[in-house]
Amino acid sequence: MYIKKAEGSISEFVWKSPILDSTDGLSTTVFTHCIFLPLQNRLPGIKVKYLLVVWLGIFVGSWVAYMHYSSYSELCRGHICRMIICDQYKKGIISGSTCKDLCEEHSLRFQHCLSSSPTQQVYSGLWKEKEVIIKCGIEEALKADSNPDSIPRRDVVLFDKPTRGTSMDEFKEMLLNFLKSNLGDQTSLAALVSQIITMADVNRDGKVSLAEAKSIWALLQLNEFLLMLSLHEKEHTSKLLGYCGDLYITEKIPHNSLYGADIPAFLQSLLPAAVHQVIHQWFAPAWPRRAKITIGLLEFVEEIFHGTYGNFYICETSFRNVGYNDKYDFKMVNLRKVATEMTIRGFLKGRHCEQNVDCTYGKDCMATCDKLMKQCKSDMVQPNLAKVCRLLQDYLLYGAPPDLKEELQKQLRTCMTLSGLASQMEVHHSLVLNNLKTLLWKKISNTKYS
């Protein structure tokens, strides 16, 4: 039974246990009435739309959580990657400087999954008590067998070159021809071939075994690895620390976004652009530090324009592909979004087009379309610098010193209008880039930020 309490008490109704007074013949129905009758009297005061909003919020939240965790098993297959690599290592098919650590001593450990594609596995890891990034591709493995837990025969598909009986001279010729087709006929390629041979010789015996040769050849087929070798002298790319087969390890860049922090992928589509901008500005480094990072980015653009091994193009200019270290030195996070001039020329050659957008390699490496011949030309609509300046506009202008802001805005606007035509690249590109670097450096030089 229930007893009505005095006015001003905590609750209007208090349940009296049937065990203490079983003679009343009370049932659980009384308890239901006791609890819900007062609530029922209040329900008309609750607006239906509020209940609907709450329900909708719960539904959307549940859906986001489900999609996030259901995609994890598809994207994150590090255990398959490790299983394939170690299986081939134990068979003597592949070799590498980190194979023993990965497959025997287990001192190279996968930690957090960072993959954005099931065919390109990216993990943070720990190697010799140091944080690293581990990358390996399992595209051929997924094609080979529909069962993700089986060990595919990827050695037949990927590690097929060079074949047994290939001499060292023949292997060097293979490497040189490969580099010419991907980087162009540069005079410096012979030095790069020597560097590759030295890297392949894991046990430092002055010879390259078949397993060593197959491993380095497979790695060279990966665009990012090839670019890391080509740009290894530059300080703005991640350092290559080791490899096993076509799995390779790089240094971990502490801040893998231009703004220092990024919105989780499952929330990006739910938040409006204005909220994105506020969050980025909130987490962005102080303006002088952003100026220092920008100078590094401009130096990288300068380095890949007529570099030692030819020209390179940034084909997805996004703040998520660039970052910086703890000293606020710029680092290119994702070299997979960078392409060689030869790669783009091969893509454009003989390609049919109706307009410029039909001549796009990657996300934003767009060439011009010859509308009379209906074929793509080799001239880029925008050079790297113009695309980078567009990326930097919000990044640099927010919080910029008042005495600098007007001139900075003017130079960024000039930079964004640069044309990719070869006739205009040499003079205009260098002039605009140096002017922008000088403007920023003068502001932060002789300060603690420099």
Side-chain angles (χ1 to χ4, degrees), residues 228-256:
M228 288 179 71
L229 286 183
S230 305
L231 301 170
H232 74 282
E233 298 174 350
K234 315 302 180 185
E235 60 182 21
H236 299 120
T237 58
S238 299
K239 291 180 181 177
L240 178 67
L241 302 178
Y243 67 93
C244 180
D246 65 333
L247 175 148
Y248 58 102
I249 304 160
T250 67
E251 66 173 333
K252 184 176 182 180
I253 299 172
H255 307 279
N256 57 3

Side-chain angles (χ1 to χ4, degrees), residues 194-243:
S194 298
Q195 179 195 339
I196 293 170
I197 294 294
T198 301
M199 181 180 294
D201 183 15
V202 177
N203 56 9
R204 299 291 184 265
D205 61 353
K207 302 175 183 178
V208 177
S209 67
L210 185 60
E212 291 172 337
K214 284 186 174 183
S215 297
I216 203 70
W217 181 262
L219 281 167
L220 288 171
Q221 313 310 307
L222 305 175
N223 177 64
E224 184 175 35
F225 186 86
L226 176 60
L227 292 179
M228 288 179 71
L229 286 183
S230 305
L231 301 170
H232 74 282
E233 298 174 350
K234 315 302 180 185
E235 60 182 21
H236 299 120
T237 58
S238 299
K239 291 180 181 177
L240 178 67
L241 302 178
Y243 67 93

